Amino acid sequence: MNADPHSMGTKWRETLQKVVPCCVVLKVTSTRSFDTESAGSSFATGFVVDRERGLILTNRHVVKPGPITAEAVFLNREELPVYPLYRDPIHDFGFMRFDPKQLRFMEFGEVPLAPEAAQVGIEIRVVGNDSGEKVSILAGTLARLDRDAPTYSSRGFNDFNTFYLQAASGTKGGSSGSPVIDVHGRAIGLNAGSKTKTASAFFLPLDRVVRALEICRGCCVVDAEGEGKTTWLAPDIPRGDLQATFIFKGFDEVKRLGLKPETEEMVRNAKRRKTESQVGMLVVDSRVPEGPSDGKLEPGDVLVSINGATVTHFLYLEA
């Protein structure tokens, strides 16, 4: 049975009425050049993922590595200061915090994170400050779950060791950090970038974000005996690391690297049991000299298993 388009339209309106007030325009001023980012001012998007603690999810390149001053502008044009809490060292996400008690004239909620809901073919909406328009709602259909991490610059930050989601939603500047939501109002991805002269947009999957959010929530300490003052501890988010970069290649390309037919059959059967849809394997691209993988991995090696378990997805590299 096909869904009634009128009821779907009504459902999307109800969803967006809840999600839009959770999205904010971020005004960020970087006071000096540091690491991969230069000094200057920029606009981006973020969205509330924890209403009680005042946590905003956005991109790593929005939080920035150096000192910044930042403000969040809510839907009713209230402006509050926000402060960097966490900036992931590898993947393109980070958290900012604000004091929810300072927001006086507007009710707002939070957007739940549901990385497991990302599926090819579902309708999505990207809500954010696209092209500096304060609130834009862009529609699209999720087309890929296994796109390579986009390359933005040969000298600046580029994500690695992760898949990206892709859809033709046509996002542009200012929409970095926008939530990619499904019809139920759940965030299934984080808008990160796009390809110029095309409508293709790239979204970071939220599997790692969910874990980091839980740890960040535990860094909020409230003084119950005193005046209820909130203290934030620095998040410590551990992860496994082989200190090597991998790229995903289809089976047709992996065969040219020496993949044996019996190994391909084993990997495909393992994918089928896990209901994974990937059609390839991970290949070593580079490694850090004198790191844990030095002398064990070489560029061009095809990763088959880790600790006896077949691995074809980036997530297991950081488990």
Side-chain angles (χ1 to χ4, degrees):
M1 295 180 63
N2 294 326
D4 182 356
H6 297 291
S7 63
M8 284 297 292
T10 301
K11 179 63 177 176
W12 272 116
R13 284 194 295 272
E14 294 174 349
T15 295
L16 290 170
Q17 286 175 356
K18 297 177 182 178
V19 171
V20 170
C22 301
C23 300
V24 299
V25 177
L26 294 173
K27 301 192 297 183
V28 180
T29 301
S30 181
T31 56
R32 62 174 298 175
S33 299
F34 190 84
D35 196 17
T36 58
E37 304 293 336
S38 59
S41 298
S42 60
F43 289 87
T45 305
F47 61 101
V48 179
V49 291
D50 192 306
R51 179 183 182 277
E52 180 182 354
R53 297 172 179 84
L55 292 180
I56 293 173
L57 174 62
T58 187
N59 287 130
R60 174 191 192 271
H61 66 266
V62 176
V63 179
K64 297 188 181 298
I68 64 170
T69 58
E71 297 82 32
V73 182
F74 287 78
L75 184 63
N76 68 341
R77 299 304 176 92
E78 278 190 81
E79 183 176 285
L80 297 181
V82 293
Y83 307 95
L85 176 64
Y86 174 73
R87 171 182 173 272
D88 196 81
I90 297 176
H91 304 298
D92 199 6
F93 74 93
F95 294 100
M96 290 186 167
R97 61 177 178 85
F98 69 98
D99 185 355
K101 297 177 183 177
Q102 293 184 4
L103 193 65
R104 300 171 55 197
F105 304 107
M106 190 185 88
E107 293 292 330
F108 67 99
E110 62 185 40
V111 180
L113 306 182
E116 71 283 354
Q119 299 179 17
V120 171
I122 66 170
E123 292 294 317
I124 59 168
R125 298 292 186 270
V126 183
V127 184
N129 179 36
D130 189 73
S131 299
E133 294 295 338
K134 307 303 181 186
V135 178
S136 290
I137 302 172
L138 304 176
T141 302
L142 208 58
R144 292 184 62 184
L145 306 180
D146 59 356
R147 193 204 186 275
D148 294 335
T151 300
Y152 301 118
S153 169
S154 60
R155 297 182 178 180
F157 164 77
N158 293 300
D159 209 336
F160 59 92
N161 283 358
T162 183
F163 288 123
Y164 266 66
L165 315 178
Q166 184 263 323
S169 59
T171 59
K172 296 179 177 63
S175 60
S176 292
S178 298
V180 181
I181 63 169
D182 65 4
V183 71
H184 303 292
R186 303 173 297 182
I188 64 169
L190 178 67
N191 184 60
S194 62
K195 183 178 290 187
T196 57
K197 299 182 181 180
T198 72
S200 295
F202 314 126
F203 316 131
L204 179 72
L206 298 178
D207 304 86
R208 299 174 181 87
V209 178
V210 169
R211 174 174 175 265
L213 176 59
E214 289 305 313
I215 296 176
C216 286
R217 282 171 169 159
C219 296
C220 180
V221 180
V222 179
D223 182 10
E225 297 181 358
E227 300 178 354
K229 182 180 179 181
T230 300
T231 302
W232 283 93
L233 306 176
D236 181 13
I237 301 178
R239 58 158 58 87
D241 188 7
L242 296 173
Q243 294 185 15
T245 60
F246 294 79
I247 54 177
F248 181 78
K249 290 186 177 293
F251 282 113
D252 55 334
E253 296 181 85
V254 178
K255 286 180 180 179
R256 302 188 187 102
L257 296 173
L259 181 68
K260 296 179 179 180
E262 55 269 25
T263 304
E264 179 183 357
E265 181 180 5
M266 180 195 69
V267 172
R268 285 185 181 271
N269 289 336
K271 285 171 172 283
R272 194 175 296 113
R273 289 193 296 270
K274 295 179 180 179
T275 66
E276 292 182 359
S277 60
Q278 284 84 19
V279 291
M281 301 175 69
L282 299 179
V283 178
V284 178
D285 185 48
S286 64
R287 54 169 173 68
V288 176
E290 301 182 2
S293 61
D294 192 9
K296 300 178 179 65
L297 298 177
E298 295 290 340
D301 285 351
V302 180
L303 179 63
V304 178
S305 64
I306 296 179
N307 294 332
T310 302
V311 173
T312 59
H313 198 291
F314 290 105
L315 283 176
Y316 303 112
L317 297 177
E318 300 178 8

